[in-house]
Structures are given as structure tokens and as C-alpha cells.
Amino acid sequence: MRVLHRFFLPSLLLLTTTFAIAQQNSSDIDSKVDALLKQMTLEEKAGQLTQLAGKTPESLQAIREGKVGSLLGVLGADNANEAQRAAVEHSRLKIPLILGFDVIHGYRTVFPVPIASTGSFDMPLLEQAERVAAKEATASGVKWVFAPMLDIARDPRWGRIVEGIGEDPYLGSRVAAAKVRGFQGKSIADPDSVVACAKHYVAYGAAEGGRDYNTVDISEQLLREIYLPPFKGAVDAGIGTFMSSFQDLNGIPGVANHHTLTDILRDEWKFNGFVVSDWGAVHELLAHGFATDDADAAAKSIKAGVDMDMVDNAFEHIPELVRSGKLPESVVDEAVRRVLRVKFEAGLFEHPYADPKREKTDILTPENLQVARKLAQESMVLLQNKSEVLPLAKTKTVAVIGPLADDKASQLGPWAGNGQAIDAVSPLEGIVGKIGKEHVLYAKGVGIPSFEGGLGAGVASPAPPSATGVKGIANTNKPSSIDDAVAAANKADVVVLFLGELAGMTGEASSRASLDFPGDQLKLANAVLATKKPVVLVVESGRPLDIRWATYHTQAILQAWFPGVQAGNAIANILFGDASPSGRLAISWPRTLGEIPIYYNHRATGRPSSPDRWHTGYLDLPNTALFPFGFGLTYSKFSYSHLAVKTPTIAPDGSLEVTADVENTGSREATEVVQLYVHDRVGLTSRPVRELKGFERVTLRPGERKTVDFSVKANDLGSYDPQMHWVVNSGTYDVWVAPDSASGVAGTFEVK
Ligand code: NOJ
């Protein structure tokens, strides 16, 4: 093995178009920025770098005094315009605010949670969904979204795994690019585009023990090969802003990390937008034991590369820091320049106000809901379908059972933007809408108790139970009981059992030390299974739960995650065959807690899997995930054959060209996510056993066959050497075209 190539960083994104910030008449903007900067006092400069939460009498006064550059969480065009007027009409320099909000999986039209939608592998649809989110957000006066969330995570105990892009850096980079394109549109100056924000930079998802905000200690190689690529994908796609992360990385908190914020983000990647800290993170440097007081914390953050301070007002110390010589004014000027540049590029100086008319025409439209339904359908993962129990015939009597079957709020997931539970279609409503109430029996069975601390469903507005008129729900005062559930099951042809977590049990500050179904849900499951009726388990959760019991005892398992506002309609379409499942797992599904972390792209060890005990693994569990990354069934069957490596030997500046035949050998039209993996057999560091390098969604009719082509630049097969140079190793590589990360048809090629 010889190192062939040391020069270029990976261009992971074949489809990336840079319609960025940089391209928009930048010299013109730079001169406007400089002209404005010259007029600013130190206090006004600090103001541009300060973000406060909410529109309050105090924040409005501070805006008028030029002490605020941004507000977060101001919703509604009238509210946004009132805040904006304070800046544009009543502050000395009339610099507009940039108004930000968390639009993580939709604004009012709530999409499936990101861990789910990532598994759609459908980049055009993800882009379309973020276009919808951008239109709705801007109609409500929001010009800046704190998304996409690009944290790779290998630990489902971490509650925020639900908000992220799963475990794969290549898939994560593609998703990042699609989302940035969707949010920012053709230009961030367009009235229906928002400025996107890549967060949480970086390695937040590697929190020790899966405990939120916890310390992270990982190698530079792991950082560069696994955690950074999605962020690089966002930069390549022209993202406008970044958010630094809460946690420390190898001892340095994210908000004060010069290496990640400046050496990598600015110097290596040439990012020229601005960086905002996460909520209160500058002040938290005191708790980290990294700063003595807020002034010290402010100096450390801005010097490291943070430009705007979210809500803790620590940057109000900037003038005194400059005057006392502790902070060069040039550092402050550079941060202000970055913020002003984005404001100019976003067209805020020309069009600071939201058009209130759009709130009535652009939000929660039938077209938007259609996108939400399609994405929900494509995001669910069919994990098991014994004897093809699914899809169900519409003439069957179905017992709909379980605490999540009519929980509207949980359908929306933990970070539902401005989503309202009342807008959500519950699974029960969807099923009744599909087959008629005469075919449906409903029993909640048990509730899901919130954990200590009163975690609820995660969305503000309560929703009444559905008015489907189905037997069992009219009687809302009666406590739910397992007996009712058993009675319903006994009368039905098939049971659809909705179990999982409340949405509020996932997301920020919602780590769990168990992957169990909370409360008495398994008691309910056991009682229903004892009826011997066929059971379809639909799991709604923000993380993989321990479902080994279900693989033995239920006929089918559909992982629905939290599907969003169209949950019920999407689930019903899948269950009754009006849509065919095509979603895949964006993370390896552990058998149980003790297997964590488990991820497909682990390095080879000196003792890989073998029949004897002397290998890497456990005595009491197989050495594999319960379901591998990339896995998901359809309502048909696909065969893979004739893998052909068209380029058996490639040069470092060449490309790998591979084809394979994929045939629908089942009896229904279905969509298969065809995946390309490689393995570099011998490297300067031990390489992962497989790495995803391509994928394509392929829809085939029964009997139809397609030759699927993949092309990968040799440079994108590289890795970091121990000195952190990007290298493409010569030698033999394995390649697979596969339905998931644990199978497929294989071949080899050489890099020379
Ligand atoms: C804290 C969260 O970590 C971050 O994701 C979010 O954008 C901010 N709060 C603002 O709400």
C-alpha cells in the first residue's frame, strides 16, 4: 500500500451546487458593510453581536438603543414587524434585526422527525420539505432557522438523536446539502427563503454515556472522518450560519474552540457566514471551568470564532474588553462584518418587514400537507412482515390499540416548530378515514406515564381526543384498561398496536438510560398477544427501542418514528397498501442497551467475528445489530445480481464506475433504496469495514429489472492519515451494491 494522493479534501457531495453567499455581489456588499461599520460605536457593535429571546418591553427598548442584532422566538408577521420597526425606524443606525427560530422538522406543517426523514434517502423530497418550511417560516416573520441539525450520533440514549441525521457521514452530508438548498432556495434574499444554520458544531452527538450536554473526547481522526463531513456538506452548499455546540471537545468547550471554529471552519473551509453560540453557552463557560466571569467568557468565545451570543448577554462586556485592551477591536469588527454581510445578503436592509397577507395563504396549505404526508410515508421503516400480513385488507375488522394511537401531540415529535397538536391526524383518525368506523375498534389500553420531572408530549397546545365516533373513545371519562384492549382484540381480525415513547421523552435534555417501552406498555402487549390474533406493532419513538420481544411475537413491525402532522394518513396508507414502505434505518438498531454504541462503519479489529469466543463481541449476544443501518423492507422483493466493476483499476484522479442489476421479484410495485458501499482493505489507519458512498431510490414494477449505475470519484475514497492529511490509499478495495449495510453483491477494484 502506498499513499497516492494527499491534496484535496473529500468532495463528498456530487450534487452540490454552491449558490452561496459568496457569489452574491460580495464586493458591493463588503463596501456597504464597511461604510456602516465606520459609523458604529463599540456599544452598537456589541449590539449587533447580541441575540435576545422574545419580544418584550425590555427587548424592544434594547433594540431601539442599538443593543440587539437578533431576536429568537418571535412568531407572527405582526409581532416580527413590531420588533423590526424598533430597529429600522427607532434605532440610530436603522440596522434590521435577523429573527431566528427553531424550524427543525417543519414550521406549522410538521414533517417527520429528522432521524426518520433522513431514512427516506430522498434528497429532492427533503429539499422540497425545507422549501415548504422556509415559506411558512418567512410568512410568519422568521428569516433565520436554527437548522439543519447535523449531529452524527451512535448512541440512542442521547435524546437528540431524534433531531439528527443518524450515523453516517456521507448520508449526513447529502442531507445537509439538500436541506440547505431547501431552506435557502435560489437566494436568501428571496422573500420565501430563510438563512439556514448548521448545528451543533461539533461532535455534540458523541456525548459520553448519551447524557445530553456531556463531555466528548474523541480523536481528531474520528472528528474529521465522522463528525465533520455533514457540516462540510452544509458549507459546500452555501449555508449562511453555524451554531456552536454546548459540550466540550477534548477539553475545549464548543463555544470557545478556536480549532473547530477558526482553524477548520474559517481557514480550511473558507466559511464566510457567521457563527451564533447555543443558548446561554457563553455564560456556561463559567460552569465548564473555562472562564472566570462573563467578560472572560465573552472574550474567549469571540476570539475563538463565535460572532453572535445567544441570549446570555455576555457580549455586553465587549466595549469594556476592548477599552481595557483585553480584546482587539479588529476581532469585534470582523464579527460585526460577518453578521452585517448576512443581513445584507438576506435582503433585510431592502425588505425588513414580513407580508402579513402570506400568513393566510402560505401556511398549512393542502400542497404543504401533501409534502408532509409523502415524506412521512417514505420515512417509516418496515422492519418485519411475517407471512406478508401487511398490507391489510380494507374489509378486515381492526382493533386499534395503544396509548399512542390517538395521541395527536406525540405525532408531531419533540421539536415541532410552531406545530399545533390540533392539526395532527392521529393514527386512529387515519385508519378510520381509510376503512370506515364500522371496521375499527379502539382501546387505549394503558397510558404512558411521564418520567420524573413531568415530561409531556413536547408541544404546547393540547388536543381533544378524536371525534371519529369509533366505539371506545366516545367514553372519554372511563379510565383506559387492558381488559378493554383484550376485548377489542378478541372481536377483531387483526390488531394494530401503537406503542413507544411520548414525543417529550426525546429531544433536548431527554436522554434515557433505558431503551424500554415506558410504563405498562409491555403488559398491554402481552395481554393482546395472548389473544393469538395477528398483531402489527407500530412503534412511535425518537430512538430505537428494545423490540426483540416483538420480532418473536408480532407478525409485523413498522417503525413510524414521530411522523408529523399527517401521521395518521401516512400510517393508514402504508398499513392498507395505498403506499408502499420504502424508508430505511439511518442508524444501526441495537438488540439491547448493552450493545451501544453499535454502528455499521466500525473499524476492523484484529479479532473480527468468528465462530469461536476469541473475537470482538459478547458471550451473550450476537455481534451484530438487530437491524443494520440501511435496512428496511418493502411490500415486494428485490434481487441483486451482476455486479460489474467497469473500472477495475482507477487512478487517484479517476472515478470508480460500478453497476448492478436490481430486479423486483415480488408481486407489487415498490421502491428500493439501492446502496453502494466500499472498504479499503489496507490503509495508513485501520479502515471501517464498510463505508456508504452512494445510493439511489429505484421504483420497479413486478418483474421489472434495472441496471443501477454508481460513480464515485477516487478522491472520495480517501481517509485521513495519522498526521491528518487526506490520502487516497493504493491497493485493493471491496465494493458492494446492497439493500443494507450487512448484505449485497460484492466485487473488488484496485486504486493505482
Ligand atoms: C438550545 C438548542 O440546543 C438549540 O438546538 C436551539 O437552536 C437553541 N436552544 C435555540 O432554541
Side-chain angles (χ1 to χ4, degrees):
M1 191 267 320
R2 200 163 49 89
V3 173
L4 286 171
H5 183 49
R6 283 189 179 253
F7 303 108
F8 306 107
L9 282 173
S11 59
L12 282 167
L13 302 166
L14 301 173
L15 301 174
T16 293
T17 326
T18 306
F19 31 80
I21 300 214
Q23 291 182 347
Q24 297 173 14
N25 43 35
S26 60
S27 65
D28 189 29
I29 285 180
D30 285 346
S31 37
K32 287 181 186 163
V33 165
D34 281 334
L36 198 46
L37 191 66
K38 281 203 190 102
Q39 302 172 51
M40 294 174 80
T41 63
L42 263 179
E43 282 69 18
E44 283 164 337
K45 289 178 185 175
Q48 279 309 301
L49 308 182
T50 295
Q51 180 183 66
L52 299 181
K55 177 174 69 72
T56 62
E58 295 75 32
S59 65
L60 286 173
Q61 182 54 27
I63 294 167
R64 287 191 282 266
E65 290 168 9
K67 291 183 178 159
V68 183
S70 170
L71 289 184
L72 77 78
V74 178
L75 304 186
D78 289 343
N79 283 325
N81 290 345
E82 187 190 344
Q84 197 61 286
R85 248 192 314 277
V88 172
E89 292 173 28
H90 302 291
S91 74
R92 190 179 77 91
L93 291 174
K94 310 195 179 330
I95 302 173
L97 301 169
I98 182 162
L99 298 172
F101 188 54
D102 287 286
V103 181
I104 312 298
H105 47 110
Y107 180 74
R108 178 79 185 256
T109 297
V110 179
F111 298 106
V113 289
I115 186 73
S117 61
T118 297
S120 71
F121 284 73
D122 190 338
M123 300 305 118
L125 188 57
L126 285 176
E127 180 176 337
Q128 203 187 349
E130 300 307 16
R131 216 51 311 270
V132 168
K135 275 195 179 131
E136 293 196 347
T138 49
S140 191
V142 173
K143 189 64 188 173
W144 180 23
V145 295
F146 304 131
M149 198 279 211
L150 299 177
D151 293 313
I152 297 277
R154 295 167 159 183
D155 190 335
R157 289 173 297 182
W158 189 53
R160 302 195 81 168
I161 198 169
V162 67
E163 286 176 62
I165 40 160
E167 74 188 26
D168 186 71
Y170 173 80
L171 177 60
S173 315
R174 295 280 302 268
V175 170
K179 290 191 169 197
V180 174
R181 285 196 298 268
F183 281 133
Q184 299 196 164
K186 290 200 178 66
S187 160
I188 53 172
D190 291 341
D192 61 359
S193 287
V194 288
V195 181
C197 180
K199 72 184 189 185
H200 307 83
Y201 188 70
V202 57
Y204 183 33
E208 269 183 15
R211 288 193 286 280
D212 206 3
Y213 318 119
N214 203 13
T215 195
V216 168
D217 207 311
I218 58 173
S219 70
E220 181 77 7
Q221 188 181 22
L222 199 57
L223 178 71
R224 287 181 179 270
E225 292 187 357
I226 300 295
Y227 293 93
L228 284 174
F231 290 96
K232 177 66 163 48
V235 171
D236 289 346
I239 197 160
T241 68
F242 262 56
M243 185 186 295
S244 58
S245 56
F246 283 123
Q247 95 296 339
D248 82 86
L249 170 63
N250 306 334
I252 315 289
V255 72
N257 197 319
H258 192 276
H259 178 54
T260 54
L261 292 170
T262 297
D263 300 346
I264 295 176
L265 184 60
R266 302 281 177 197
D267 297 347
E268 286 184 32
W269 295 355
K270 312 292 176 213
F271 171 68
N272 71 348
F274 74 83
V275 177
V276 64
S277 61
D278 202 346
W279 184 287
V282 176
H283 175 69
E284 286 173 19
L285 286 181
L286 277 63
H288 274 286
F290 202 80
T292 49
D293 53 25
D294 276 351
D296 188 30
K300 284 183 169 139
S301 302
I302 193 169
K303 282 184 192 167
V306 166
D307 304 302
M308 185 182 279
D309 175 14
M310 185 185 282
V311 311
D312 55 23
N313 228 351
F315 278 17
E316 70 178 355
H317 295 283
I318 283 177
E320 91 212 24
L321 285 164
V322 173
R323 288 187 185 113
S324 64
K326 291 187 183 137
L327 177 65
E329 187 162 1
S330 58
V331 173
V332 181
D333 286 352
E334 191 45 41
V336 176
R337 269 196 199 95
R338 289 169 184 154
V339 171
L340 292 179
R341 207 185 296 134
V342 170
K343 288 186 175 182
F344 274 110
E345 281 160 353
L348 283 164
F349 283 85
E350 291 87 8
H351 305 287
Y353 296 115
D355 172 3
K357 286 199 286 297
R358 283 186 51 214
E359 270 180 314
K360 301 207 173 61
T361 55
D362 288 13
I363 295 182
L364 216 63
T365 64
E367 298 76 37
N368 296 359
L369 290 173
Q370 192 57 39
V371 178
R373 186 186 305 190
K374 187 159 194 281
L375 189 54
Q377 283 162 194
E378 290 191 10
S379 301
M380 293 175 200
V381 189
L382 182 64
L383 294 174
Q384 174 166 296
N385 194 15
K386 287 186 198 159
S387 346
E388 298 188 356
V389 63
L390 290 178
L392 301 171
K394 289 175 189 156
T395 48
K396 292 244 158 94
T397 299
V398 180
V400 175
I401 293 175
L404 289 160
D406 201 31
D407 175 347
K408 284 172 175 267
S410 276
Q411 305 310 315
L412 299 185
W415 209 317
N418 193 24
Q420 311 290 318
I422 194 87
D423 302 334
V425 181
S426 76
L428 177 64
E429 287 174 307
I431 292 171
V432 168
K434 177 71 67 187
I435 60 174
K437 65 178 190 217
E438 62 283 9
H439 293 297
V440 180
L441 299 158
Y442 167 68
K444 182 174 173 183
V446 297
I448 303 181
S450 43
F451 295 120
E452 211 182 330
L455 296 180
V459 283
S461 65
S466 309
T468 46
V470 171
K471 247 193 175 163
I473 36 179
N475 199 352
T476 47
N477 290 331
K478 197 174 148 221
S480 42
S481 84
I482 291 182
D483 289 348
D484 287 351
V486 170
N490 276 323
K491 282 188 218 134
D493 300 313
V494 59
V495 176
V496 185
L497 185 58
F498 288 88
L499 303 182
E501 303 176 294
L502 296 174
M505 293 172 173
T506 70
E508 188 178 351
S510 301
S511 296
R512 293 188 57 198
S514 149
L515 301 181
D516 293 347
F517 288 75
D520 286 338
Q521 295 187 83
L522 289 196
K523 249 195 211 163
L524 171 66
N526 279 330
V528 168
L529 288 165
T531 65
K532 301 287 177 213
K533 294 292 167 116
V535 172
V536 174
L537 173 66
V538 180
V539 182
E540 298 202 317
S541 65
R543 53 167 65 79
L545 297 179
D546 188 336
I547 54 169
R548 284 172 298 171
W549 60 274
T551 60
Y552 300 122
H553 302 301
T554 70
Q555 273 59 46
I557 306 172
L558 180 68
Q559 175 64 27
W561 306 103
F562 297 120
V565 70
Q566 281 288 299
N569 291 332
I571 287 172
N573 280 349
I574 295 275
L575 291 177
F576 296 95
D578 290 334
S580 185
S582 61
R584 301 297 169 115
L585 294 176
I587 34 172
S588 305
W589 195 287
R591 292 165 197 276
T592 187
L593 197 66
E595 257 185 330
I596 294 169
I598 183 162
Y599 45 93
Y600 86 94
N601 47 358
H602 59 87
R603 292 191 192 121
T605 72
R607 298 274 178 105
S609 210
S610 72
D612 67 34
R613 66 188 292 171
W614 310 106
H615 68 274
T616 308
Y618 303 104
L619 285 179
D620 53 354
L621 268 188
N623 205 7
T624 52
L626 184 62
F627 298 105
F629 170 88
F631 179 82
L633 300 172
T634 69
Y635 285 157
S636 200
K637 288 197 173 62
F638 288 87
S639 79
Y640 286 63
S641 63
H642 301 107
L643 179 119
V645 178
K646 306 282 172 188
T647 50
T649 303
I650 57 174
D653 56 353
S655 289
L656 168 68
E657 310 289 338
V658 181
T659 67
D661 290 350
V662 178
E663 184 178 349
N664 183 340
T665 56
S667 54
R668 289 174 162 266
E669 179 172 303
T671 301
E672 176 79 349
V673 179
V674 181
Q675 300 155 44
L676 180 84
Y677 294 92
V678 301
H679 168 228
D680 176 2
R681 285 195 184 169
V682 181
L684 288 173
T685 59
S686 173
R687 303 309 309 146
V689 295
R690 277 197 191 201
E691 294 175 276
L692 184 71
K693 294 291 175 189
F695 54 82
E696 192 179 324
R697 286 173 57 89
V698 177
T699 302
L700 296 176
R701 291 186 301 276
E704 203 182 347
R705 169 195 289 233
K706 183 176 177 191
T707 303
V708 185
D709 308 291
F710 289 100
S711 175
V712 183
K713 290 200 183 94
N715 189 54
D716 294 343
L717 300 170
S719 52
Y720 285 90
D721 74 7
Q723 288 72 42
M724 296 304 111
H725 303 114
W726 183 251
V727 296
V728 178
N729 297 312
S730 65
T732 306
Y733 289 65
D734 300 297
V735 57
W736 296 263
V737 174
D740 58 57
S741 59
S743 58
V745 284
T748 59
F749 63 94
E750 301 286 320
V751 176
K752 274 202 181 135

